[in-house]
Amino acid sequence: MRRRAPFSPRRRALLALLVLVLAWLGWSWWTGMAITAGVKQAQMDWDGDGLTSRAELWQAVHAVRVEHTEDGSRKCQRFVWTRNDEVIRVDCRTELQPAP
């Protein structure tokens, strides 16, 4: 009886693709890309025209970084282009803490 290989070429390709996607996801999270920072689709309007296009969604994957800052109860998200660190927009909110 002939023994089969543990992974067929198709399974190896799928495994390699899965490893690449997970590596890219980890890199995106580590660098702070907008797609992994919990930014909603409506917030991805980088040009300010009121609509989020497919191009803007793609930019969230590779071209826009989110920097989080916190000053007391004020929390801000600064959206920055990765190529030149130009600020696109800053969203700030104040979160009140419950009384002790």
Side-chain angles (χ1 to χ4, degrees):
M1 178 184 276
R2 187 170 179 215
R3 188 173 173 167
R4 291 183 49 182
F7 287 116
S8 66
R10 183 182 293 171
R11 285 188 181 181
R12 285 183 191 158
L14 184 61
L15 183 62
L17 180 66
L18 181 66
V19 167
L20 285 174
V21 167
L22 288 176
W24 170 80
L25 209 66
W27 175 81
S28 295
W29 173 80
W30 184 68
T31 57
M33 292 306 210
I35 199 73
T36 60
V39 179
K40 295 180 183 173
Q41 184 174 346
Q43 293 177 312
M44 295 182 190
D45 180 25
W46 311 128
D47 59 3
D49 65 353
L51 299 171
T52 302
S53 66
R54 288 185 184 184
E56 289 169 327
L57 287 174
W58 178 244
Q59 287 171 342
V61 170
H62 72 91
V64 177
R65 193 174 67 243
V66 180
E67 297 173 352
H68 297 277
T69 58
E70 191 172 332
D71 184 24
S73 62
R74 187 170 175 86
K75 296 182 180 182
C76 295
Q77 287 182 325
R78 199 170 85 149
F79 299 95
V80 179
W81 291 111
T82 57
R83 67 176 174 264
N84 59 5
D85 289 337
E86 179 185 347
V87 176
I88 301 169
R89 180 176 75 235
V90 178
D91 293 340
C92 293
R93 67 173 188 242
T94 303
E95 293 182 356
L96 300 176
Q97 303 296 329

